[in-house]
Amino acid sequence: MTFEHLFLQYQQMTQFKILMSFKGVFAQPALVEMGNTIRNSLGNESVKATVMKKIFAIFIELSQNILHYSAEKELDLDGRESGVGLLIVSDNGDRYCVSSGNLISNDDVERIGGQCQAVIDASRDDLKEMYNRRRKGERPAESKGAGLGLIDMARKSDYPLEYEIRPFNEKYSFFMLSSYISKGSE
Amino acid sequence: MLVNIMLESTKVTPAITMLIEEGLVEIAGESYPENSVEFYQPIFDWLDAYIAEEKRYLTVNFKLTYFNTSSSKCLMDILDTLQSYHNVSEQVEVNWYYQEEDEDMLESGTEFAEDLDMTFKLVAYR
């Protein structure tokens, strides 16, 4: 790490008002600690309880998404596999932003993009109906939570979810997903 | 054989109390384990056995303050099991406790209730 690299990081974190950022292995114990840190640090900043709960819930869904579904995996000493990714919580003026970034297989680009778009296009009532119908149904083979996470994040967000998928190499693409919570959220 | 279950809560899993004699089940705390199905499996097994062997009244209290979506799916599965038992026995009472100002947990309880047709009380506490 050179001075320039470190200082650039410092400047970027200041400019984008980054409250928390983590890039690495999203093992369950690590994400639990990060979740606690978010609760404690926002709790000290007179953030409304409803806002903090939403940020925490969205943070957990995004982190567990990385843990289970990131295409980049790391093994720990016990042989447990956890996903690798990036998660950033930032202060965007009138709202908070929780963003995640991780690799996905090129084979999943269409499916994941489609799921994100379907949730973005849905009305509040549609989202509620989708959530409750999926929760009643069988778990899809590729999912641990019946694909509920994305719908739940969309319901908790005060603005539409944003996503972008760009090619990374011949095997993988980089997937970004962001959720925004208004500081005055009810 | 069916035995009482008493699990203390952890940071990511709720306290679980399942008492045969009392016909009482309680799930209290936060729920966001890495693998929800694995955590809730003993609870599904206990309920199936209680329903098959005991065939008595069952009170189920939920006192949750946060749960992730994969836990939400497991809670729905538990409630579906209870609904099936209710349909043949009418011996189930579900109480959904929520902290007085916790709109999230009130809404969650309300949405579970909409999917069910049995005694499901929403109870505020301080």
Side-chain angles (χ1 to χ4, degrees), chain B residues 70-110:
Chain B
S70 64
S71 299
S72 173
K73 174 74 181 144
C74 292
L75 299 176
M76 189 76 248
D77 293 343
I78 290 171
L79 289 164
D80 280 338
T81 299
L82 296 174
Q83 177 72 57
S84 303
Y85 184 45
H86 165 85
N87 293 346
V88 296
S89 71
E90 301 211 2
Q91 295 203 95
V92 183
E93 178 189 330
V94 179
N95 298 300
W96 182 270
Y97 291 87
Y98 63 97
Q99 272 171 335
E100 210 168 48
E101 283 168 13
D102 192 344
E103 297 287 334
D104 264 2
M105 285 300 119
L106 170 59
E107 194 183 333
S108 297
T110 309

Side-chain angles (χ1 to χ4, degrees), chain A residues 89-139:
Chain A
V89 183
S90 58
D91 179 338
N92 289 24
D94 64 342
R95 66 196 74 170
Y96 291 104
C97 176
V98 190
S99 294
S100 68
N102 59 272
L103 294 180
I104 58 173
S105 163
N106 284 337
D107 299 335
D108 291 330
V109 167
E110 214 165 304
R111 181 177 60 84
I112 291 171
Q115 284 175 343
C116 290
Q117 198 56 49
V119 161
I120 289 167
D121 293 340
S123 67
R124 292 262 157 205
D125 286 346
D126 289 344
L127 288 171
K128 179 181 170 183
E129 195 273 330
M130 279 162 80
Y131 187 84
N132 289 316
R133 180 163 42 83
R134 284 257 185 111
R135 189 166 63 177
K136 270 274 188 192
E138 295 293 311
R139 285 181 183 78

Side-chain angles (χ1 to χ4, degrees), chain A residues 28 32-33 36 39 53 56 60-61 64 68 80 128 131-132 135-137 139 148-149 152 155, chain B residues 11-12 30 32-34 37 66 68-70 72-74 76-77 80 102 107 111-112 114-115:
Chain A
Q28 173 81 4
V32 171
E33 282 315 312
N36 282 340
R39 276 177 165 166
K53 277 183 193 165
F56 179 76
I60 293 294
E61 295 299 329
Q64 291 187 328
H68 295 301
R80 291 162 71 87
K128 179 181 170 183
Y131 187 84
N132 289 316
R135 189 166 63 177
K136 270 274 188 192
R139 285 181 183 78
L148 292 171
D152 187 58
R155 295 185 73 190
Chain B
K11 272 182 187 172
V12 298
E30 297 201 324
Y32 56 111
E34 177 168 358
V37 176
Y66 166 70
N68 68 353
T69 53
S70 64
S72 173
K73 174 74 181 144
C74 292
M76 189 76 248
D77 293 343
D80 280 338
D102 192 344
E107 194 183 333
E111 286 190 17
F112 277 122
E114 285 172 11
D115 265 331

